[in-house]
Amino acid sequence: MTPMLYFRASLLLVLLMPCALHATGKMADPIRVGVLYSSTGTMATSETRLKDALLVMIDQQNERGGLLGRPLEAVVIDPMSNWTLYAEKARQLIEREHVKVIFGCWTSASRKAVKPVVEELNGLLFYPVQYEGREQSDNIFYLGAAPNQQALPAVRYLLETMQIESWVLAGTDYVYPRTTNRMLVEFLLQNGVPVEDIMISYTPFAHADWQRTVADIRKFASQRGKTAIVSTINGDANVAFYRELAQQGVSADEIPVLAFSFGEGEANLMEDQLPVGHLSAWNYFMSIDSPENRAFIASLQQQSGGLVTVANDPIEAQYIGFKLWMAAVNAVASTDTNKVRQAIIGLSVKNLSGGEAEMLPNHHISKPAYIGRLGPDGQYEIIWKSLADIPGDPWIDPVSVEADKGH
């Protein structure tokens, strides 16, 4: 089933729902849900899966009777990987389409474009991707990892467990990689890494010609001790980056990559040349063996008619946020922004790892941290897990993060 046919089928299901009828026989007004993900442009590689997964979740909820006795209706808009358009389309969703909530954005650039819009119009944005911290808004709920839940524990693992001596911080040139790398440099310097053993490289979105950058990384590594690449590369540039590493014979044994924005979805695009052995740090992997995860993956694949075959961390984060939003709406019997915002704090729902995700007063959630090694089947073998769930803290001092040896 094509994405367009699937979306039409989703809307048809909503329109035909028996539960949406009033006692008078009239159709109940739907609750409109904004879906703000790019289906075109450099971020479509990552964001399309989030859109498709959210449509499945909306369909499943409608089959269970909708919300407050009303059907949910997805309003899907493609901002085409254009940060300015994210702001414009968010305004359209709230002012013209009258959505009650928006799920959307991947990059921090897109989130920061939407932030003043939802604040001005008192909308709600549920943002499902890891980010650089240093932000908090009454109108945004941050479902992805703050640095203390992903980047900092992962780099500590490289430093203490893998005993990495020299560091390549490679990122896409925008706010998330630059802010994250400033924190990581501070962290590494405080832990005794000489500044000359840190290389920083930024490339544009959709960067495709990695030959010179990879050659520079090889040269840097050849002159120093054990080297790792910490990657904040985003979007479809990831595919070209890993392919160039393979082309130049850089293996995971020689120079491992630890990525923060490469997961099962991106790996699914590289069946012909998987970056086997390289690492990713997330708060969820599809390979997690729990009853909740097995059931979720089966239902996601079945309900989408095969359109969604791969689950990843942002999909799980969106699943958690969707459940929390519905729980808050049910608690106050209203979709009013102010009421929902107040009610959601302190609520918790099951995550897909078998634990609980709680919405904290700072609009972040508690999450376990994982590091996985990519296998030849495109799935990650978990090689490290935090001992306990980590509360998201966007303002944490990186040098104060305590060691979590994990297991």
Side-chain angles (χ1 to χ4, degrees), residues 335-347:
T335 57
D336 177 77
T337 292
N338 295 329
K339 293 178 180 178
V340 170
R341 179 170 48 215
Q342 183 176 3
I344 200 171
I345 303 303
L347 291 182

Side-chain angles (χ1 to χ4, degrees), residues 14 30 65 91 153 229 242 293 315-316 344 370 373 387 399 407:
V14 170
R91 184 174 294 276
I229 301 169
Y242 281 107
N293 194 38
I315 286 177
E316 192 229 16
I344 200 171
Y370 298 94
R373 180 185 290 114
L387 289 172
V399 300
H407 62 283

Side-chain angles (χ1 to χ4, degrees), residues 64-87:
R64 289 189 286 265
L67 186 61
L68 302 181
R70 298 162 60 188
L72 297 175
E73 179 183 341
V75 182
V76 182
I77 290 186
D78 176 15
M80 299 184 287
S81 303
N82 181 318
W83 318 140
T84 303
L85 274 182
Y86 279 87

